[in-house]
Amino acid sequence: MSNASENGRSSARHSTTGPRTDLLSSNPTDRVEAASIFQGDVDTDNTVVVCGAGGFIGGHLVADLLRQGFSEVRAVDIKPPNQWFQKFPQADNRSLDLREKENCYRALENADHVYNLAADMGGMGFIENNKALCMLSVTINTHLLMAARDNDVDRYFYSSSACVYNQELQDTADVEPLSEEDAYPALAEDGYGWEKLFSERMCRHFREDFDVTTRVARYHNVYGPFGTYDGGREKAPAALTRKAIEAKLSGSGDIVIWGNGTQTRSFMYVDDCVKGTQKIMHSDITEPINLGSDDLVTINQLVDVIEEAVEVDLDREYDLTKPQGVDGRNSDNTKILEELGWEPPTALRDGMEVTAKWIEQQMRTHREEETTSRFAVPH
């Protein structure tokens, strides 16, 4: 596994302390009573709405808002609460289909701040085969922006994606880091990427035409505990970790990797995503900005890290018929460093160690109890 310094950059910017373990308790009350990840100056009298709260990142964000002591945190998701990745009794939990306009107005009534993380999405296997479903998420952001305008919402955050970037700039594994300007001329990833790019423009024009204060972050490959690792929507770190643990538990020692393993990506630990999201929300940054690690690794190097975390040696088989996305993608963090003096610090090795332990614990529990993971439930 090549670390950041071997990839030509200093590793000094990456955290040496590792992810916090006090946020991993199986008891949601314990997770809420921990110190918050984001330490900014906030008005806790505000009503904060998290759309997509039943999802991976949304659940972590709700937890951190509750840690900060907001008087009302409204958590909204299309799934029934018993299918949410994390659910907190301290929040106002609502099951609403935000593709419907009237539900967006209900969700944002008396809201001060809105985080829109809601989308029909998943890993490469899902977005390659469900382009129309991904595009239909445009109705969520459109209706939420209308509701934000009409309800005089103070600030509105939209979670975009690195999938907005021009695909012609990602046709080599030795990719140049993608800067914010590289989204244009537009040639986004079909389906999911185009929806994200269009929704970014909607945020811009609602800001320009209707004075809605909007903030947009382009997420780069978020991973961590309390996320999906099976069921067809999981992303590469979770999917490969699940496969490694299955090989370990079964004794097979085999793993199937989509593509030839030379594709490159950067991966951001979820705590860094939660912190960066709130930093951007409370900043003066009006244009879309990268939020991701700039530590570029191959998929083979990711598997190296997972093998170490799971404590297993794997025989690798490569399936070239499966979706594998662009050849290379990395985040240029120049702008976020200039604007915030910060970038996601968690080293991949540290984040994957925590993530792998959590997934293995989940898998062993379901194996022993002969139950099915709740994360496999369609959502």
Side-chain angles (χ1 to χ4, degrees):
M1 160 62 189
S2 297
N3 60 29
S5 60
E6 290 170 339
N7 286 326
R9 296 183 302 277
S10 170
S11 60
R13 293 191 307 236
H14 294 283
S15 171
T16 58
T17 59
R20 288 171 51 182
T21 57
D22 60 332
L23 308 180
L24 304 178
S25 171
S26 59
N27 186 332
T29 300
D30 291 341
R31 298 200 295 276
V32 167
E33 290 179 350
S36 62
I37 295 172
F38 179 67
Q39 298 290 332
D41 183 17
V42 297
D43 182 357
T44 56
D45 289 332
N46 283 334
T47 294
V48 185
V49 181
V50 178
C51 302
F56 167 44
I57 301 171
H60 283 277
L61 178 58
V62 168
D64 205 55
L65 293 167
L66 290 170
R67 291 181 199 114
Q68 293 168 58
F70 280 96
S71 56
E72 183 172 0
V73 177
R74 190 176 303 156
V76 183
D77 201 278
I78 189 173
K79 301 185 295 293
N82 65 351
Q83 294 179 13
W84 292 16
F85 290 178
Q86 297 188 73
K87 184 183 71 173
F88 301 95
Q90 301 91 334
D92 175 7
N93 299 311
R94 303 184 184 184
S95 180
L96 295 170
D97 183 350
L98 295 176
R99 293 171 298 188
E100 303 296 332
K101 181 179 177 181
E102 61 271 20
N103 287 337
C104 292
Y105 278 77
R106 290 171 59 193
L108 268 55
E109 186 177 6
N110 299 319
D112 296 299
H113 292 171
V114 176
Y115 291 88
N116 177 17
L117 281 68
D120 202 347
M121 57 86 69
M124 185 53 60
F126 178 83
I127 64 177
E128 278 286 315
N129 296 303
N130 296 277
K131 294 182 176 68
L133 286 178
C134 291
M135 288 291 289
L136 284 171
S137 293
V138 72
T139 59
I140 299 173
N141 190 59
T142 301
H143 291 146
L144 283 173
L145 280 169
M146 295 170 68
R149 175 197 61 192
D150 296 342
N151 283 290
D152 295 321
V153 165
D154 184 50
R155 282 180 180 253
Y156 181 97
F157 174 91
Y158 177 67
S159 59
S160 187
S161 166
C163 291
V164 303
Y165 283 115
N166 189 315
Q167 293 188 83
E168 291 182 347
L169 302 177
Q170 304 171 73
D171 59 359
T172 175
D174 188 25
V175 65
E176 289 293 321
L178 295 162
S179 65
E180 286 76 7
E181 294 75 18
D182 289 331
Y184 296 93
L187 187 59
E189 195 162 295
D190 205 8
Y192 180 71
W194 277 107
E195 186 277 322
K196 289 295 186 183
L197 192 61
F198 176 83
S199 292
E200 286 187 5
R201 302 294 288 193
M202 287 288 285
C203 289
R204 172 180 174 176
H205 296 311
F206 267 70
R207 174 172 54 83
E208 294 173 337
D209 295 355
F210 302 125
D211 293 323
V212 178
T213 300
T214 59
R215 299 290 182 261
V216 177
R218 292 173 179 162
Y219 291 165
H220 288 249
N221 292 309
V222 187
Y223 72 97
F226 296 102
T228 185
Y229 57 84
D230 56 7
R233 294 185 185 235
E234 63 277 17
K235 296 189 176 183
L240 291 168
T241 300
R242 185 200 72 242
K243 292 178 181 180
I245 295 168
E246 287 173 343
K248 175 182 176 179
L249 297 179
S250 68
S252 71
D254 298 327
I255 188 170
V256 177
I257 298 170
W258 290 9
N260 61 16
T262 64
Q263 318 96 286
T264 53
R265 297 290 189 275
S266 64
F267 299 96
M268 172 173 55
Y269 189 65
V270 66
D271 289 1
D272 295 340
C273 181
V274 167
K275 185 172 186 175
T277 292
Q278 293 175 87
K279 279 179 169 287
I280 292 166
M281 175 62 135
H282 295 287
S283 75
D284 296 324
I285 303 169
T286 57
E287 297 299 322
I289 187 168
N290 281 333
L291 180 54
S293 170
D294 65 354
D295 187 11
L296 187 70
V297 297
T298 67
I299 297 301
N300 276 328
Q301 289 171 332
L302 173 61
V303 175
D304 290 343
V305 172
I306 291 170
E307 284 182 326
E308 182 178 337
V310 177
E311 298 180 334
V312 64
D313 292 321
L314 301 170
D315 294 322
R316 304 178 188 188
E317 177 184 339
Y318 299 92
D319 188 344
L320 303 183
T321 69
K322 298 294 187 182
Q324 53 188 296
V326 295
D327 292 325
R329 177 179 292 156
N330 194 14
S331 177
D332 184 333
N333 285 352
T334 302
K335 185 173 182 180
I336 196 169
L337 282 166
E338 289 176 349
E339 296 283 353
L340 300 178
W342 177 90
E343 66 175 340
T346 304
L348 179 62
R349 188 180 304 275
D350 296 334
M352 283 307 306
E353 181 178 0
V354 172
T355 304
K357 286 181 178 178
W358 181 84
I359 293 176
E360 182 166 352
Q361 180 185 53
Q362 296 293 310
M363 292 177 64
R364 284 185 179 276
T365 298
H366 290 294
R367 183 185 179 96
E368 292 168 1
E369 298 179 357
E370 298 183 347
T371 55
T372 301
S373 165
R374 67 187 177 94
F375 298 104
V377 177
H379 57 284

